[in-house]
Amino acid sequence: MATIDVYNHGVPAESAFGYSQAVRSGDLIHVSGQLSLSDAGEFVHADDFAAQLRQTYVNLDKVLNHFGATRNQVVSQTLYVVDLQRNSEALMKGNPAYFGDHRPASTVFGVTELTFPGQAVEIAFVVDMKLPA
């Protein structure tokens, strides 16, 4: 029987919108789209793609740490990027810097807008805990 474990950052949007940052069901963890939020839940680094990408990865690490997972166990990622052509160079630097030699499956969508004014990136993960850390 699969067990379910839920993780939240404790930001107001979680209860207002009715979602969790991540849900573990058995050996899989589904991580909701993470973005450039401070510990207080405030959107930070508006219009600065590189800074948003770094903060988004910090927030993804918080989720992974909660479950005792590592970046090497990320099997897929979905990235939503505003102005993809303009931000592709920073993305091509930031993504490999985050993962090192690990290469999860990846889908990138160029989108016209995201939740917050000035938000340029959002990233969701699927994690498989059966993989070596």
Side-chain angles (χ1 to χ4, degrees), residues 5-89:
D5 182 13
V6 175
Y7 172 76
N8 288 299
H9 290 308
V11 298
E14 294 162 347
S15 59
F17 190 69
Y19 74 101
S20 293
Q21 298 296 333
V23 175
R24 179 176 180 175
S25 178
D27 291 316
L28 292 179
I29 303 167
H30 298 272
V31 182
S32 295
Q34 298 296 295
L35 53 133
S36 184
L37 293 180
S38 69
D39 288 339
E42 298 168 346
F43 176 68
V44 294
H45 308 301
D47 299 315
D48 184 340
F49 182 83
Q52 285 184 43
L53 188 61
R54 285 189 301 272
Q55 183 62 46
T56 299
Y57 284 133
V58 166
N59 292 338
L60 283 160
D61 280 343
K62 289 177 188 175
V63 176
L64 293 175
N65 290 337
H66 168 80
F67 292 103
T70 72
R71 298 169 187 181
N72 291 332
Q73 294 168 301
V74 176
V75 293
S76 69
Q77 64 174 341
T78 304
L79 300 95
Y80 304 90
V81 179
V82 174
D83 202 352
L84 182 56
Q85 294 302 314
R86 185 181 68 165
N87 292 315
S88 64
E89 186 175 330

